[in-house]
Amino acid sequence: MIKTFHTACPRNCYSTCSFIVKMNGQSITSIEPQPLNKSTSEGPCLKGLSYKERAQSKDRILHPLKKVKGKFERISWEEALNEIAERLINYKAEYGSHSVLFYAASGMSGLLNGVSSDFWRLYGGTTTVYGNLCWPAGLEASRLTLGENKHNVPWDTENAKLILLWGKNPAESNIHQMLPIEKAQRKGAKLVVIDPRRTPSSERADLLLQPIPGTDGILALAIAKIIIEKGLHDLEFIEKYVFGFSEFEKSLESLDLVQASKECGIPVHFIKKLASLIGSIKPMTLVPGYGMQRYSNGGQTTRCLLALSIITGNIGKSGACWHYANLQSYVFDKVKEPVNYFPSQFDKPFRRAIPTALLGEKMMEQKNPELKMVWIERGNPVTQNPDSNKTIEAFRKLDFVVVVEQFLTDTAQEASIILPAKNMFEQTDIIGSYWNPYVQMKQKVMEPAGEVKPETEIYYLLARKLGFSEEVIQNHFPENNDEAIEKYLNKELKVFEELSIEKLKQGPILAPGLEEIAFENMNFNTPSGKIELFSQQAFDKWEVPQLPTYERLEEGQKNENPQFPLSLMSPNTKNRIHSQFGNLESIRALDSEPLLIMSPKDARAREIKQGERIKVWNERGEVLIKTSFDHSLRPGNVVMVNGYWNSEGGSPNLLSKGRETDMGHGTAFHDNMVEVEKI
Ligand SMILES: Nc1nc2c(c(=O)[nH]1)N[C@H]1C(S)=C(S)[C@@H](COP(=O)(O)OP(=O)(O)OC[C@H]3O[C@@H](n4cnc5c(=O)[nH]c(N)nc54)[C@H](O)[C@@H]3O)O[C@H]1N2
Ligand SMILES: Nc1nc2c(c(=O)[nH]1)N[C@H]1C(S)=C(S)[C@@H](COP(=O)(O)OP(=O)(O)OC[C@H]3O[C@@H](n4cnc5c(=O)[nH]c(N)nc54)[C@H](O)[C@@H]3O)O[C@H]1N2
Ligand code: SF4
Ligand SMILES: [Mo]
């Protein structure tokens, strides 16, 4: 008999698609679109469709493994958990619990991830990480300015008359966004893409501007200056809702258009053209991407862009929107990843915290106690955090590494013990989205494969082995049966009348209290109660200027090192979510190895041919891969997409530096200079 389940994709992906899974016993018969989700009604992407293959992959880890003389051997759960428990007890007794690092990242979202943090807190606290690899500079820039992170519902984009995709490439990273964009275009809207690369998203654009990486701040300020000089700004809106406009206007006096044009590489007449579009076409939806803020100046750059939406009054109306992140469906704190952007607010006894952007370096620096052990779940830091060589070095200095994983990733290769991880079909959980406005249930549709145990069960068993009291166990660790999990989730849902396990089983539910048009009431949760172009907090918290300013990149422009003249970007790509999916045959058939994309001009200067194997290197590492020429790429820029494993040929993070963004403790992956050499 075929059974139908409503579920949702738990990947760290804007779309957070709903879909319907049909099961015949333990076998998936189909993965189909879920029309109830208005943002993703067309159904999942190729990665979503490959979940069946992923669940059944022959490479999946199905039982605990222990490294013995450099090789992984199968061991029993009893043996694995006994060794882990014994070590946890000993490290704590001998060095203190902070000699253990708990590292979790964004591999799987869900409310149950809270159980992991609870376990480590109850263990007595650990060292953990703060900051985030992804989006915090832009989040913090938006929060400083608007008071919170929310945007109009995705389908409202079709009401825009001007759409700017600024450093975002939704045709690969958020395919469902291309539909409202196309609808808007059919109704006459103009689409402008601003990206150093010519991306699939730009194929539909009316205008593509290709700035020098990391210089968008000055481009935006130049546009603001022209708009204000021509009187195209919305004075009424500014007077009512904006704090610090006159200071902002004044700060633009010293900006020279010709110099700005030289700095960002966009000819003056194109800057003027874009200023005239932004100044005259309303409503405008500005969609800044996350890639663009992964620079040492990312937060200030984001504030410069946001200034354009503000001075033209494009906030709080249908079609008019600053479309960065929509946290309206993050109704439970724990749905957010276990990160906290502000170390001062840390739960002190629980955490000794190190920045995730400098993971390897800071792991090795810890003293009193030194780190002895790391526990990794839902993350692949060797591939995804900057400076892979440092991360590997730090791991190899430890006594003991536990990795909870589905596959033998670069990080799992460093493990002493690997515990097999669940997949999205093997446990029920509840997820939000940072783009669509739904709270959703990811339903369990099958029993875990092999000897796989979800993290909740692993912690339940470990809590017993560590001698946690019965009361603590009852309160924090659901037993691994479906009823106990649902009871745990229901407890979290109780606050919201609209939400219940039973209702969520029927499909996605709009977030309680959702504002379809964000900021429509013009309430801004900032110190002045207005939109803050001038932010004292920006200075007090992050020591950046109170106004949006353009800052030159730390590596790319300030420390120009003639030895490394090429700027390396490592954006996301269609068929992978970071380091996930690339190991599946269906994805490999399309995307088999990492490539260095470069301009033929840079290649010619180095006597390099299309498709030739070359060395990309800098003082942090090297990668040996093939080239692929891109005539549309600006000479001086090279690209290696994010997500390839070192075992597949190389992650761009072998080359990136551990460096924080100017605000939010983000990670400046793209501020990264390299040289390319014939081998
Ligand atoms: N298919 C797929 N989808 C994904 C992901 C994935 O890995 N694969 N990851 C998800 C996650 S976690 C994230 S954070 C998002 C990220 O997705 P996006 O927000 O789209 O971010 P990126 O792909 O990192 O970069 C977007 C674009 O910014 C451009 N860019 C780089 N530097 C600059 C610059 O200085 N100025 C300008 N104007 N543009 C610049 C890049 O060329 C790229 O085309 O996607 C999510 N969706
Ligand atoms: N150079 C460069 N580096 C980047 C980026 C970039 O643009 N350029 N982007 C950055 C960004 S935006 C992000 S968000 C990060 C993402 O980096 P990470 O957060 O590390 O994410 P993933 O690579 O998606 O997934 C990590 C692992 O989680 C595992 N996993 C999946 N489900 C589960 C589960 O239920 N339990 C357990 N235990 N494991 C599970 C997967 O198999 C995978 O190996 O990468 C960052 N790194
Ligand atoms: S990876 Fe993104 S686009 Fe693909 S199914 Fe999951 S949420 Fe949807
Ligand atoms: Mo991300």
Side-chain angles (χ1 to χ4, degrees):
M1 198 184 65
I2 304 288
K3 270 181 96 173
T4 298
F5 294 90
H6 299 267
T7 191
C9 180
R11 299 281 83 80
N12 182 353
C13 173
Y14 290 102
S15 293
T16 326
C17 297
S18 310
F19 49 86
I20 293 171
V21 180
K22 294 202 171 138
M23 298 293 296
N24 186 355
Q26 291 294 300
S27 167
I28 298 172
T29 60
S30 69
I31 292 177
E32 294 172 13
Q34 160 63 284
L36 290 173
N37 184 329
K38 277 171 76 179
S39 328
T40 65
S41 53
E42 303 75 19
C45 72
L46 187 62
K47 302 178 287 300
L49 295 172
S50 75
Y51 273 129
K52 182 177 172 182
E53 179 189 346
R54 180 168 164 161
Q56 298 168 344
S57 166
K58 63 178 181 352
D59 297 332
R60 196 155 167 214
I61 299 169
L62 296 175
H63 39 71
L65 295 169
K66 178 173 175 167
K67 198 182 267 159
V68 182
K69 294 194 186 119
K71 284 217 172 97
F72 286 110
E73 290 178 3
R74 178 172 181 171
I75 54 169
S76 68
W77 271 102
E78 191 56 18
E79 200 180 339
L81 293 176
N82 281 343
E83 175 161 359
I84 294 169
E86 194 179 312
R87 288 196 181 248
L88 284 174
I89 290 166
N90 290 344
Y91 291 135
K92 184 171 162 182
E94 216 170 312
Y95 310 101
S97 63
H98 291 75
S99 63
V100 177
L101 169 70
F102 165 53
Y103 179 91
S106 72
M108 169 79 85
S109 44
L111 203 50
L112 287 170
N113 291 339
V115 173
S116 312
S117 312
D118 276 359
F119 175 85
W120 295 106
R121 192 176 289 114
L122 291 162
Y123 166 64
T126 59
T127 298
T128 184
V129 292
Y130 65 84
N132 183 292
L133 300 173
C134 185
W135 55 347
L139 279 183
E140 181 59 359
S142 307
R143 189 196 68 80
L144 288 169
T145 313
L146 299 169
E148 58 198 300
N149 275 283
K150 54 187 179 185
H151 63 57
N152 297 2
V153 288
W155 50 90
D156 177 64
T157 303
E158 73 172 83
N159 300 318
K161 289 278 172 267
L162 176 65
I163 300 167
L164 300 190
L165 290 177
W166 200 320
K168 180 167 175 181
N169 177 21
E172 296 194 69
S173 68
N174 186 189
I175 51 172
H176 303 86
Q177 187 169 47
M178 293 312 282
L179 285 136
I181 291 177
E182 193 179 312
K183 280 190 188 157
Q185 282 185 297
R186 275 200 235 122
K187 291 192 273 180
K190 289 230 176 315
L191 174 66
V192 178
V193 174
I194 301 157
D195 195 310
R197 303 185 301 146
R198 179 169 169 170
T199 62
S201 309
S202 68
E203 297 306 314
R204 296 156 183 248
D206 298 283
L207 179 65
L208 166 66
L209 298 181
Q210 293 179 273
I212 294 168
T215 64
D216 302 84
I218 191 123
L219 173 60
L221 293 179
I223 293 170
K225 180 169 172 135
I226 299 170
I227 288 175
I228 296 169
E229 275 177 3
K230 291 208 162 154
L232 296 173
H233 51 313
D234 185 339
L235 260 179
E236 200 187 318
F237 181 90
I238 291 169
E239 267 164 25
K240 266 199 185 142
Y241 305 119
V242 180
F243 179 78
F245 176 74
S246 52
E247 289 91 335
F248 178 63
E249 183 179 22
K250 194 154 191 307
S251 74
L252 298 174
E253 275 170 17
S254 57
L255 188 145
D256 178 75
L257 202 54
V258 175
Q259 257 176 6
S261 153
K262 228 168 128 189
E263 182 74 14
C264 68
I266 305 289
V268 171
H269 66 274
F270 278 117
I271 301 181
K272 287 187 175 159
K273 164 123 187 158
L274 187 52
S276 125
L277 292 173
I278 298 175
S280 60
I281 305 181
K282 283 180 189 175
M284 168 180 81
T285 289
L286 201 170
V287 189
Y290 300 166
M292 194 199 47
Q293 49 90 62
R294 284 187 214 113
Y295 285 91
S296 51
N297 62 7
Q300 282 298 81
T301 299
T302 307
R303 292 179 70 208
C304 293
L305 268 54
L306 179 45
L308 297 175
S309 297
I310 296 167
I311 62 173
T312 53
N314 278 301
I315 302 274
K317 302 163 195 161
S318 175
C321 168
W322 168 252
H323 201 102
Y324 184 73
N326 191 20
L327 303 190
Q328 297 194 72
S329 66
Y330 275 36
V331 288
F332 324 95
D333 265 353
K334 286 188 201 150
V335 180
K336 295 186 190 182
E337 295 151 31
V339 291
N340 189 324
Y341 302 115
F342 310 111
S344 58
Q345 292 169 8
F346 283 164
D347 180 358
K348 281 261 165 57
F350 172 45
R351 287 180 163 213
R352 169 175 74 178
I354 58 180
T356 198
L358 288 94
L359 183 69
E361 195 178 325
K362 293 291 172 191
M363 277 176 74
M364 290 188 278
E365 276 176 18
Q366 297 309 300
K367 296 264 166 346
N368 300 322
E370 283 178 15
L371 290 179
K372 295 289 171 192
M373 168 179 166
V374 60
W375 174 288
I376 310 264
E377 67 183 51
R378 295 174 268 130
N380 185 6
V382 169
T383 316
Q384 292 309 118
N385 292 49
D387 209 344
S388 305
N389 285 317
K390 279 238 171 80
T391 313
I392 294 172
E393 193 188 336
F395 277 37
R396 292 187 181 167
K397 288 205 161 127
L398 299 168
D399 259 17
F400 193 57
V401 177
V402 178
V403 179
V404 190
E405 245 309 341
Q406 294 175 6
F407 296 102
L408 200 54
T409 60
D410 293 334
T411 303
Q413 297 276 9
E414 298 300 320
S416 319
I417 287 187
I418 304 177
L419 301 176
K422 68 180 183 300
N423 71 20
M424 71 158 287
F425 299 126
E426 295 168 343
Q427 186 173 42
T428 292
D429 209 340
I430 291 170
I431 58 180
S433 162
Y434 49 87
W435 180 69
N436 82 45
Y438 296 95
V439 178
Q440 308 199 55
M441 179 176 271
K442 165 182 81 70
Q443 281 208 65
K444 176 173 174 180
V445 304
M446 57 167 70
E447 289 308 317
E451 290 184 5
V452 167
K453 293 185 194 298
E455 281 84 346
T456 48
E457 187 178 356
I458 301 176
Y459 286 118
Y460 177 81
L461 296 170
L462 269 181
R464 291 207 167 278
K465 288 201 187 285
L466 290 183
F468 287 12
S469 75
E470 202 50 46
E471 195 193 339
V472 163
I473 292 178
Q474 292 288 328
N475 281 338
H476 296 275
F477 302 100
E479 244 177 288
N480 198 58
N481 61 61
D482 302 344
E483 261 170 56
I485 296 295
E486 289 193 6
K487 216 170 108 195
Y488 178 97
L489 293 173
N490 245 333
K491 216 168 68 192
E492 304 281 339
L493 291 177
K494 281 246 157 63
V495 210
F496 304 100
E497 257 174 42
E498 304 89 321
L499 303 174
S500 71
I501 296 279
E502 279 320 306
K503 280 192 203 153
L504 284 163
K505 279 188 178 161
Q506 307 308 312
I509 298 183
L510 283 174
L514 172 75
E515 291 169 25
E516 289 219 4
I517 305 301
F519 304 107
E520 196 168 25
N521 57 12
M522 294 292 163
N523 284 336
F524 300 97
N525 188 18
T526 55
S528 64
K530 291 186 165 188
I531 299 172
E532 297 208 342
L533 269 177
F534 182 98
S535 166
Q536 188 55 39
Q537 256 192 39
F539 178 78
D540 294 345
K541 266 204 154 117
W542 307 106
E543 293 174 12
V544 300
Q546 288 93 338
L547 289 168
T549 52
Y550 168 64
E551 309 291 334
R552 305 194 92 205
L553 295 181
E554 277 174 29
E555 179 165 326
Q557 290 146 343
K558 273 195 202 151
N559 301 331
E560 278 166 51
N561 181 343
Q563 206 184 352
F564 303 114
L566 302 169
S567 143
L568 172 68
M569 288 182 287
S570 47
N572 292 328
T573 180
K574 187 165 67 188
N575 296 323
R576 291 163 187 254
I577 287 285
H578 304 292
S579 66
Q580 305 195 53
F581 296 102
N583 58 336
L584 304 181
E585 274 168 33
S586 59
I587 303 295
R588 249 168 220 251
L590 301 167
D591 229 338
S592 59
E593 60 181 324
L595 297 168
L596 183 84
I597 302 160
M598 68 191 302
S599 134
K601 194 170 165 214
D602 287 329
R604 223 176 298 124
R606 292 165 178 78
E607 297 178 350
I608 290 168
K609 295 194 198 72
Q610 156 77 20
E612 194 173 5
R613 254 170 87 80
I614 45 87
K615 176 168 106 173
V616 198
W617 68 288
N618 60 19
E619 66 271 47
R620 296 177 282 269
E622 63 174 50
V623 185
L624 304 178
I625 49 174
K626 287 184 188 157
T627 58
S628 165
F629 286 1
D630 179 348
H631 290 262
S632 67
L633 199 64
R634 172 190 287 282
N637 295 169
V638 292
V639 178
M640 208 181 142
V641 301
N642 162 40
Y644 283 95
W645 299 5
N646 292 330
S647 57
E648 284 177 287
S651 155
N653 289 319
L654 285 161
L655 304 159
S656 59
K657 182 173 162 65
R659 181 188 280 123
E660 285 199 5
T661 50
D662 52 354
M663 57 182 77
H665 304 294
T667 313
F669 288 102
H670 304 305
D671 194 349
N672 184 8
M673 303 301 288
V674 298
E675 178 55 296
V676 177
E677 218 174 271
K678 214 175 156 70
I679 46 175

